[in-house]
Amino acid sequence: MTEITKEIVAEHGLTEGEYDEVLKILGRTPNLTELGIFSVMWSEHCSYKSSKKWLKTLPTEAPWVICGPGENAGVIDIGDGQAAIFKMESHNHPSFIEPYQGAATGVGGIMRDVFTMGARPIANMNALRFGRPDHPKTGHLVSGVVAGIAGYGNCMGVPTVGGETNFHSSYDGNILVNAMTVGLAETDNIFYSAAAGVGNPVVYVGSKTGRDGIHGATMASAEFDDDSEEKRPTVQVGDPFTEKLLLEACLELMATDAIVAIQDMGAAGLTSSSFEMADKGGVGIELNLDHVPMREEGMTPYEIMLSESQERMLMVLKPGREEEARRIFEKWELDFSVIGKVTDTGRMILTMNGEVAADLPVAPLADAAPEYDRPWTKTEPPAVIRGEDVAAPNDLGEVLLTLMGSSEIASRRWIWEQYDHMVMGDTIQRPGGDAAVVRVHGTQKALAITTDCTPRYCYADPETGGAQAVAEAWRNITATGGQPLAITDCMNFGNPQRPEIMGQFVGCIDGMRAACTALDFPVISGNVSLYNETNGTGIYPTPAIGGVGLLTDYAKMTTLAFKEAEDVVVLIGDLTGEMGQSLYLAEIEGREEGAPPAVDLEKERKHGDYVREMIEKGLVTAAHDISDGGLGVALAEMAIAGNIGAEITLETPLPLHAALFAEDQACYVLTVKPDDVEMLRGFALAEDIPLHIIGTIGHTDLKIDGALTISVSRLKEVHAKWLPALMSRPGSE
């Protein structure tokens, strides 16, 4: 038996104080298997020990929320007895070490979270962050991650319908790969994870257990150093073809009434799935590890419990239903094994080779997981930078072309063309717009789905940045005509033991809470990824937001593309000309400075509700919110999408470069038929909405105030070429 030394405890990521708590819970020294179980269950990745205190402050309820945080995924009611089930998760550390497999298994894991609850996945999204474009690893990482996402999602036959991709030096040593899945289920057939029924069989289904991914959860709870590539053995290896079989087998069994509880084996594998099921049900579980299907010889209890091999599920079945379930899984050529039973002891007892390998109390291990109130310092907001404080450029046209061809604005077509975004035949708004829109098959309903975050705002002022991330997700759904309903989040931050980093987390949560409350946009699921650092250098705080909304009639959906010549271009909201943290400042002047644009949540709600109402009335022919790059970029994107120009006149006291490139919030660009302008204006006056008529659509150029004339073809050319050029560099394969 391995002696448990201080060194072994430290290798398992437990502090001296945490280990003392282990000794107190057990009343004895743990064996190595038991120590490993405590290690993964109390890891940051599984226990949320640094973030729980703050996550609890987020709003999680609304009349349409069926299930909020705490299950595999969140559930909302979308009417007609149907539910949307969705979640976003991180796979950052594995994707940096092994980009293809790390990203692929991230997609596989989030899909399992969704179909575990009885939903058929209908859409995947992702939020990706890479280092600076000229970093020697960036091309290789982009190539591997995109291929991994495509390889897994395409094989599963689930469309990847959109997302976002950023490049910044803060991610040089620690990229972010956040994957989101949305599924559909019947409201009366949703499955949960609480084990119940003393004597009920506990069954293992799916792939065999191997030695891949051992201590993956622990690895994901530590920062990187120069030797991180040596952690490849902790990266799981996925098989989408097996997952497709597992999906169909699970859904087939779910059509019966045989399942009491179900949980996928994600981070920490059999350990977390069994303990979470037992804890939620207030029961004990006995497992005979000899019965676990294994693909490698001589596996120890430690390895079996900590393996993160993919495509596996743990279920509790009703008594006597084992053979019915076995027939289904064996038909789909998957392993099926009864490995244990539910007990009333409140303990997890593991046996192997006729011996007790572990005997642990369930509740104390789960409930006594550390919850830290870590010291934090507030990020002091920088000074506001106004348009008049920023020198006007010599050529506004060159500025717009530079922004359209920059790493943050350039087309992501190279990425999304590798994804099958049309499989299943229900994608009705493709990648490249404000939000993807996917039809609820066989109905007039559709779901609008988006991922959003502006990390540079969060770094400069976490509270404003957190609020803006939620508000932009809300705007993007609104711009399609969808009613925003709920969000999932993926909280990506550096080392929480550094007060300034913990302060970023607290600030972002505060901003998110305010925005979610003001916009009736609750958080129903999510994930926290901390220790995203290399050699003490952390990423920009990145609270990625995945938003879902509902269109009751997709025939009324809007897109951002300019449609018809003579349509009138309208600005909703007021331009303020605040230039802090703008792409203009970064790309044109080489400065990342100043306060991010102010977020007025009352205006966000008011303006967004008005836009949605006008879309519902059929008065809007195109809609696009203002975000990165400001009004100028928004107009260019609409012209490119519609392949038609516009003539714009801005009657503003602001310097023209500030009016065009400040990233003002709560603003939308709409187009409307000439005959409907007065009706639109009348509704705006009645509701006290700022509405400015700024131009008309037509011809082949984008013209602005006589100061800028660029052909749409030139805009398209510049917008399209940056990413293919990056990926054609040597080393990007």
Side-chain angles (χ1 to χ4, degrees), residues 30-194:
N31 61 35
L32 188 63
T33 300
E34 293 168 335
L35 182 70
I37 288 169
F38 271 99
S39 166
V40 294
M41 290 295 291
W42 288 10
S43 68
E44 194 74 62
H45 194 75
C46 291
S47 75
Y48 297 98
K49 57 191 177 186
S50 297
S51 57
K52 276 190 287 193
K53 171 183 167 68
W54 301 102
L55 295 173
K56 291 174 186 175
T57 68
L58 292 169
T60 59
E61 296 179 351
W64 51 88
V65 174
I66 295 173
C67 177
E71 276 291 340
N72 288 287
V75 187
I76 56 173
D77 192 328
I78 59 169
D80 309 307
Q82 295 177 305
I85 299 180
F86 60 95
K87 188 181 181 184
M88 182 165 25
E89 277 213 344
S90 61
H91 235 228
N92 305 334
H93 290 64
S95 298
F96 185 77
I97 295 167
E98 180 53 69
Y100 184 96
Q101 289 296 350
T105 53
V107 173
I110 195 61
M111 280 199 279
R112 282 196 306 282
D113 278 342
V114 167
F115 74 73
T116 298
M117 297 197 68
R120 179 173 290 280
I122 63 163
N124 290 332
M125 300 279 283
N126 51 71
L128 312 176
R129 269 87 188 181
F130 298 101
R132 64 184 189 276
D134 60 355
H135 189 280
K137 278 191 173 181
T138 294
H140 164 70
L141 291 168
V142 173
S143 178
V145 165
V146 170
I149 292 169
Y152 209 104
N154 294 356
C155 288
M156 283 291 293
V158 178
T160 300
V161 295
E164 56 176 345
T165 306
N166 296 131
F167 298 85
H168 190 275
S169 58
S170 79
Y171 307 105
D172 281 352
N174 199 123
I175 64 174
L176 302 184
V177 176
N178 297 171
M180 176 179 174
T181 294
V182 181
L184 289 176
E186 301 299 315
T187 55
D188 61 356
N189 202 37
I190 295 167
F191 292 82
Y192 299 99
S193 57

Side-chain angles (χ1 to χ4, degrees), residues 394-517:
N394 294 326
D395 189 330
L396 282 170
E398 281 303 310
V399 169
L400 182 56
L401 287 170
T402 299
L403 293 179
M404 296 307 293
S406 69
S407 63
E408 292 305 279
I409 300 294
S411 170
R412 280 18 182 182
R413 180 181 287 271
W414 184 92
I415 294 174
W416 57 256
E417 280 192 338
Q418 298 185 53
Y419 306 145
D420 190 339
H421 49 274
M422 296 304 292
V423 67
M424 300 178 85
D426 285 316
T427 305
I428 55 176
Q429 190 159 165
R430 304 182 186 192
D434 283 303
V437 181
V438 179
R439 180 170 54 203
V440 177
H441 196 76
T443 76
Q444 278 298 112
K445 297 184 298 192
L447 298 178
I449 312 164
T450 186
T451 58
D452 293 286
C453 182
T454 311
R456 64 185 185 276
Y457 293 177
C458 298
Y459 181 74
D461 183 345
E463 190 168 346
T464 298
Q468 191 275 340
V470 173
E472 188 172 345
W474 195 83
R475 284 201 305 271
N476 283 343
I477 292 166
T478 291
T480 70
Q483 175 64 57
L485 291 177
I487 67 169
T488 180
D489 57 41
C490 206
M491 306 293 289
N492 308 274
F493 291 78
N495 185 341
Q497 296 174 58
R498 290 163 55 196
E500 69 274 19
I501 302 296
M502 197 66 217
Q504 292 172 352
F505 187 91
V506 173
C508 285
I509 288 283
D510 285 346
M512 289 166 58
R513 179 175 62 252
C516 290
T517 302

